[in-house]
Amino acid sequence: MSASEPIAQPAAHARSGRAWRPFALTAPALILLVAVIGYPLLTIVLRSLSEPEWGLQNYAWFFGAPVNLTVLQRTFVISAWVTLVCVIAAYPYAYLMTAVGPRVRLMLVLCVLIPFWVSGVVRTLSWVILLQDSGVINSLLRSVGFGGVKLIRTQTGVVIGMAQVLLPFMILPLYSVMQGIDLRLMRAAQSLGARPSRAFFTVYLPLSLPGVYAGAIIVFILSLGFYITPALLGGPRSTMLSTLVQTQVLSLLQWGRGGAMGVVLLVTTFVLLALAAPVMRSSHREAGRR
């Protein structure tokens, strides 16, 4: 045995110990996730298959009722509209946060964070006051000569209320990506003869797309599970799947049917994300090349 072997063995053990250290640090978080997410999710899946008896009768009921498919489609449509509104509203705001000075940026960040400190129920009830037929918005429209617009108990009102609640989840990912973009690239493109609009769409916009995709995924997934805002601002024609789940579980005590609705929504969401993943990966690769 050579003299270097006793030294090499402790070094190998030390490297293996350092390799396992990150897993040991993340173990409490993983255990917590399994306890508060994995176990309830497994319970819902089992109930959807076992109540009132083992089988696929709950899923057959879901896909056999046209109203369930209509509500499922409406849920994704409303979530898509909310995501689009958030992207349109958040993009210029996040860009402004990167272009102003530190003091103004601090004020803009506070405006983004303040909604997190206010209850979602309070914000939704505020929108009920603003959007109702005799509310502030319709009163302003009538004062300038326009007729009243039906906003409460409509899909438009639901989209407005949900977009206001979820807007910070779109702004923060966008800002985190935009603050890493060197604005000198825009000036370099303009110095080579590109108009400001062309420089923005060919240089800045592609570099910011990873933030757009990240924020859009967060907003879209959160929109799918909204219950309070659609219940307070919406009507029968803007009912989302979460309302039907609540009716089946709490009102009718049909845990199997409610679980089947939740599983269908979860699986459909995963399928859509899997279809969108190649587009997002290609965007990240193109942004990395730039």
Side-chain angles (χ1 to χ4, degrees), residues 4-24:
S4 61
E5 288 185 3
I7 301 176
Q9 290 179 356
H13 286 296
R15 285 195 298 269
S16 63
R18 287 195 297 268
W20 281 99
R21 193 173 300 169
F23 296 99

Side-chain angles (χ1 to χ4, degrees), residues 2-280:
S2 63
S4 61
E5 288 185 3
I7 301 176
Q9 290 179 356
H13 286 296
R15 285 195 298 269
S16 63
R18 287 195 297 268
W20 281 99
R21 193 173 300 169
F23 296 99
L25 293 175
T26 57
L30 293 176
I31 295 174
L32 181 63
L33 286 175
V34 171
V36 302
I37 296 179
Y39 177 73
L41 182 60
L42 179 61
T43 303
I44 292 297
V45 173
L46 292 178
R47 284 198 168 192
S48 69
L49 296 171
S50 62
E51 293 189 9
E53 58 184 13
W54 284 96
L56 300 175
Q57 66 275 0
N58 293 318
Y59 295 94
W61 165 82
F62 180 86
F63 290 105
V67 64
N68 293 332
L69 300 179
T70 301
V71 173
L72 179 63
Q73 179 186 5
R74 184 188 300 137
T75 299
F76 281 94
V77 170
I78 291 177
S79 299
W81 275 110
V82 171
T83 304
L84 179 61
V85 170
C86 287
V87 170
I88 295 174
Y91 197 95
Y93 191 94
Y95 179 79
L96 180 63
M97 291 172 64
T98 63
V100 297
R103 293 185 179 180
V104 179
R105 184 182 300 115
L106 178 61
M107 294 300 298
L108 294 176
V109 172
L110 288 177
C111 291
V112 174
L113 296 179
I114 285 175
F116 288 112
W117 306 334
V118 181
S119 171
V121 177
V122 174
R123 283 182 284 174
T124 303
L125 291 176
S126 301
W127 278 112
V128 172
I129 298 173
L130 293 174
L131 299 177
Q132 61 185 344
D133 296 336
S134 59
V136 176
I137 296 178
N138 277 309
S139 299
L140 290 176
L141 291 176
R142 294 189 185 97
S143 65
V144 296
F146 294 98
V149 180
K150 183 66 175 177
L151 295 174
I152 198 71
R153 304 287 179 251
T154 63
Q155 185 170 313
T156 303
V158 173
V159 171
I160 293 173
M162 291 176 60
Q164 188 270 331
V165 174
L166 294 174
L167 192 59
F169 295 96
M170 188 77 226
I171 294 176
L172 295 178
L174 268 174
Y175 173 67
S176 66
V177 172
M178 287 181 174
Q179 69 175 350
I181 300 176
D182 193 349
L183 295 179
R184 291 177 297 180
L185 296 174
M186 296 274 291
R187 294 193 291 269
Q190 295 176 29
S191 68
L192 295 174
R195 295 188 301 272
S197 59
R198 183 175 177 82
F200 175 82
F201 284 106
T202 57
V203 177
Y204 192 89
L205 181 60
L207 293 175
S208 65
L209 284 181
V212 174
Y213 291 142
I217 289 175
I218 295 173
V219 171
F220 184 77
I221 292 178
L222 292 176
S223 299
L224 294 174
F226 256 56
Y227 168 71
I228 295 177
T229 303
L232 295 179
L233 298 180
R237 296 193 175 185
S238 55
T239 301
M240 298 180 68
L241 196 64
S242 57
T243 305
L244 293 187
V245 174
Q246 184 270 344
T247 302
Q248 291 293 328
V249 172
L250 297 182
S251 299
L252 303 177
L253 299 180
Q254 294 285 349
W255 281 87
R257 292 183 175 182
M261 288 181 174
V263 172
V264 169
L265 181 61
L266 180 65
V267 172
T268 308
T269 304
F270 283 157
V271 170
L272 291 178
L273 291 179
L275 294 176
V279 178
M280 292 183 290

